[in-house]
Amino acid sequence: MKTASDTIIAGARQVIDEEIEGLKSLRDRLGAELVRAVEAIRNCRGRVIVSGVGKSGQIAQKIASTLTSTGTPSFYVHAFEAGHGDLGLVHREDVVIVISKSGMGDELRDFLPALKKLGVCLIGMTASPSSYLAQHADVVLEFDGSREAGCLGLAPTTSATVSLVLGHVLASALMEQRGFTAEQFAQSHPGGMLGRRLNLKVREVMRTGKAMPVVRETQTLREALFETMEKSIGCAGVVDAKGVLTGIVTDGDLKRIITRRDDALEVPVGDVMTRHPKTIDGEILAAEALEKMEMNLPGPLLMYFVVDADGKPTGLLHVHDILRAGLRSE
């Protein structure tokens, strides 16, 4: 006997399956019109305006945001408000994307002819190739709107999903055609977690100066132990007489040596250190450094020393420094 939980899960899976079918239909419909749409936007000398009403308007706002953040200046205009002054935002050099499942809304009756008078390139996203929108559009991106997911099949579910994905398809194609880079993406995303992942460099979070634990090869393990305790970092870099990083000694090393030798604390660090410690460039992204730490073989690393061109330590990066900066592994 099915429980209420079984019914909910089965219904949820059915909705997802129905939306997947809508996406498969969209994939199969893609062709020359998509290419025309991408080329029209790519060659646009103005901006891309995305418009719609109701749920289509909400999707239009998301598409405009995605386009803007990926190198295509874009903004949203409400199809109804356009007839009450907002049409002044649209210029001849612009491309306008109008989203409407039916393509027959009353708000389109004044809006579309006005756009044609301006001479803009009009791209229509609709489920009706014979609709008013399709008749006025220069490019028609058609999707299947015959079946909405859900128990009633009435609310704009699948149609909303496929029109949103169609917008993502346009944005992705434009990024690829323009050679849009991660560096360009980072310029428009300076804030929040994403901004930190794209912009924060190792040199900005590493420990420097007196906060960096360093001892000379000739110093004793006792002094190295005090250095690690004072800096609360669990290791110390070891440098030679010229200040070049030649090794590292960790808390684990200290414990192993102390348990094996009675005179361990008086032994020169240079005699027992681990040579050729792993280092990292201070100019790489902190997020990349975190990934390197986690993917290190044979096991994750907790820290890297940062050295200059002469091999002298300029900083120490600990995984805690990255986490404190607000970065997390994905």
Side-chain angles (χ1 to χ4, degrees), residues 75-123:
F75 62 89
Y76 166 75
V77 169
H78 193 287
F80 179 77
E81 296 296 334
H84 296 270
D86 284 359
L87 196 62
L89 295 168
V90 185
H91 299 86
R92 184 180 186 86
E93 297 80 10
D94 298 334
V95 170
V96 179
I97 301 173
V98 176
I99 307 171
S100 172
K101 177 184 174 180
S102 69
M104 300 296 289
D106 291 339
E107 73 281 353
L108 301 179
R109 296 294 173 177
D110 295 325
F111 184 37
L112 300 184
L115 290 175
K116 299 307 291 183
K117 286 183 180 179
L118 286 173
V120 302
C121 175
L122 175 59
I123 299 173

Side-chain angles (χ1 to χ4, degrees), residues 129-144:
S130 59
S131 65
Y132 187 74
L133 172 57
Q135 292 170 7
H136 282 77
D138 299 295
V139 181
V140 178
L141 299 177
E142 181 189 354
F143 56 85
D144 184 4

Side-chain angles (χ1 to χ4, degrees), residues 55 78 84 91 116-117 134 148 153 177 275 295-296:
K55 297 298 186 294
H78 193 287
H84 296 270
H91 299 86
K116 299 307 291 183
K117 286 183 180 179
E148 298 285 10
Q177 291 295 311
R275 295 187 176 275
M295 300 303 293
N296 181 72

Side-chain angles (χ1 to χ4, degrees), residues 228-285:
T228 61
M229 292 172 60
E230 180 184 351
K231 305 299 171 62
S232 301
I233 195 66
C235 78
V238 184
V239 297
D240 62 15
K242 296 181 180 179
V244 174
L245 184 71
T246 55
I248 187 173
V249 59
T250 67
D251 280 348
D253 295 331
L254 290 168
K255 291 175 182 177
R256 283 191 294 273
I257 297 168
I258 290 172
T259 58
R260 293 174 183 172
R261 297 181 58 166
D262 294 334
D263 63 342
L265 292 179
E266 306 307 322
V267 173
V269 174
D271 292 351
V272 293
M273 67 183 183
T274 299
R275 295 187 176 275
H276 310 299
K278 292 191 175 183
T279 61
I280 201 165
D281 189 339
E283 291 300 316
I284 76 166
L285 294 175

Side-chain angles (χ1 to χ4, degrees), residues 142-303:
E142 181 189 354
F143 56 85
D144 184 4
S146 61
R147 171 64 182 171
E148 298 285 10
C151 61
L152 295 178
L154 297 175
T157 50
T158 302
S159 61
T161 298
V162 296
S163 55
L164 177 60
V165 171
L166 194 48
H168 292 169
V169 167
L170 287 173
S172 180
L174 289 163
M175 289 173 65
E176 184 175 2
Q177 291 295 311
R178 289 173 172 157
F180 193 73
T181 66
E183 288 74 18
Q184 291 172 303
F185 189 80
Q187 289 175 4
S188 60
H189 294 78
M193 173 67 78
L194 181 58
R196 288 191 290 273
R197 290 193 66 84
L198 293 172
N199 293 284
L200 194 66
K201 294 186 176 181
V202 166
R203 60 175 169 76
E204 298 177 79
V205 295
M206 69 185 187
R207 306 178 188 209
T208 60
K210 293 183 178 180
M212 180 176 57
V214 175
V215 294
R216 297 184 304 277
E217 291 180 351
T218 54
Q219 289 184 268
T220 65
L221 279 186
R222 184 188 302 276
E223 293 172 298
L225 177 60
F226 288 149
E227 180 75 357
T228 61
M229 292 172 60
E230 180 184 351
K231 305 299 171 62
S232 301
I233 195 66
C235 78
V238 184
V239 297
D240 62 15
K242 296 181 180 179
V244 174
L245 184 71
T246 55
I248 187 173
V249 59
T250 67
D251 280 348
D253 295 331
L254 290 168
K255 291 175 182 177
R256 283 191 294 273
I257 297 168
I258 290 172
T259 58
R260 293 174 183 172
R261 297 181 58 166
D262 294 334
D263 63 342
L265 292 179
E266 306 307 322
V267 173
V269 174
D271 292 351
V272 293
M273 67 183 183
T274 299
R275 295 187 176 275
H276 310 299
K278 292 191 175 183
T279 61
I280 201 165
D281 189 339
E283 291 300 316
I284 76 166
L285 294 175
E288 182 181 347
L290 179 58
E291 182 178 355
K292 287 178 178 292
M293 287 176 170
E294 294 176 333
M295 300 303 293
N296 181 72
L297 294 177
L301 290 177
L302 291 178
M303 63 203 78

